[in-house]
Amino acid sequence: MTNTLDRLAPSDSQDLTSPGPVDTERVADLVGQLLAAIGEDPGREGLSDTPARVAAWWRRFFSPDPSAAPTCFTEPHLSGQLVVIGGMSVWSLCEHHLLPMNLDVVVGYVPDGEVMGLSKFGRIAQQCAGRLQVQERFTRQVADEIAVVIGSTDVAVAVRGTHLCMSARGVRMEAARTTTLQTGGRFESDSVLSQQFLTLATDRWRVA
């Protein structure tokens, strides 16, 4: 297992610009060329529609659901409570090998007078995953985006990744997992709060 730890700092620039539109016609043509280059017949039964299907998938992958802006709800009597949202599993693509990686995301934050709509955490994870990625950058982007929405760096994000570029190629270690942790604000200064988050975040991973 690989583990990395980073600290969340205020950031004015968000690296969440969506990729440009996918040229599905050209992608389909290139997939057909790839099939021919590996010795297949792109026109045979079973493959004739594959280039178009692959091109359609790439278009959908780079176009995550453009949901409404994350919403916060006023809770004036709420402060100091640890909120942890887990069980968010998203797929992304390793930018080094164009192979899938499955990212299990857990987010913790400390509300101060407002709470963020729970479904929006999953939307943010999907938005950050819908591009060519590396897990380390993905973890930071999720944390940065949540910090912007809640107006505070009291955010922690833990991600456990399964990478096909490691389990299906190269060393082919199927059980390998990579864990990344991004923390900021009180999660840096309050060791008890940090430990509470880590305990809740990793509890489900121990039995997975």
Side-chain angles (χ1 to χ4, degrees):
M1 178 186 292
T2 303
N3 298 283
T4 67
L5 171 66
D6 203 355
R7 292 172 171 78
L8 179 60
S11 175
D12 294 328
S13 61
Q14 298 302 304
D15 185 23
L16 291 178
T17 304
S18 298
V22 174
D23 185 341
T24 52
E25 184 175 341
R26 187 178 181 202
V27 171
D29 179 61
L30 291 170
V31 172
Q33 294 181 49
L34 173 63
L35 290 171
I38 62 175
E40 282 285 358
D41 175 10
R44 73 168 172 82
E45 184 178 0
L47 286 181
S48 59
D49 295 326
T50 295
R53 283 194 294 264
V54 173
W57 178 84
W58 277 97
R59 184 184 67 245
R60 289 192 299 270
F61 173 77
F62 283 120
S63 305
D65 181 19
S67 59
T71 304
C72 290
F73 304 95
T74 301
E75 289 288 343
H77 303 296
L78 179 65
S79 64
Q81 185 181 91
L82 171 61
V83 179
V84 177
I85 305 93
M88 296 180 288
S89 179
V90 296
W91 287 92
S92 191
L93 281 180
C94 164
E95 68 180 29
H96 301 140
H97 304 96
L98 298 186
L99 287 174
M101 53 182 172
N102 181 246
L103 305 172
D104 192 358
V105 183
V106 183
V107 174
Y109 79 112
V110 181
D112 184 12
E114 286 187 332
V115 294
M116 183 170 152
L118 293 177
S119 66
K120 302 308 178 184
F121 292 95
R123 296 294 188 191
I124 288 174
Q126 288 176 337
Q127 288 284 339
C128 295
R131 63 199 67 242
L132 302 182
Q133 272 287 17
V134 296
Q135 181 176 329
E136 296 86 346
R137 184 196 308 139
F138 167 84
T139 306
R140 182 173 187 86
Q141 286 177 342
V142 172
D144 283 347
E145 186 69 8
I146 293 171
V148 168
V149 173
I150 68 173
S152 168
T153 59
D154 293 340
V155 177
V157 177
V159 178
R160 188 179 194 233
T162 303
H163 299 248
L164 264 65
C165 58
M166 188 172 186
S167 59
R169 62 166 294 282
V171 293
R172 296 191 178 183
M173 294 182 177
E174 295 183 10
R177 301 292 183 270
T178 298
T179 304
T180 46
L181 177 65
Q182 185 84 35
T183 59
R186 290 180 56 186
F187 289 94
E188 286 299 310
S189 60
D190 187 335
S191 60
V192 173
L193 182 68
S194 179
Q195 186 57 51
Q196 288 175 334
F197 169 73
L198 288 173
T199 298
L200 292 169
T202 60
D203 185 61
R204 68 188 303 269
W205 294 342
R206 294 190 187 100
V207 297

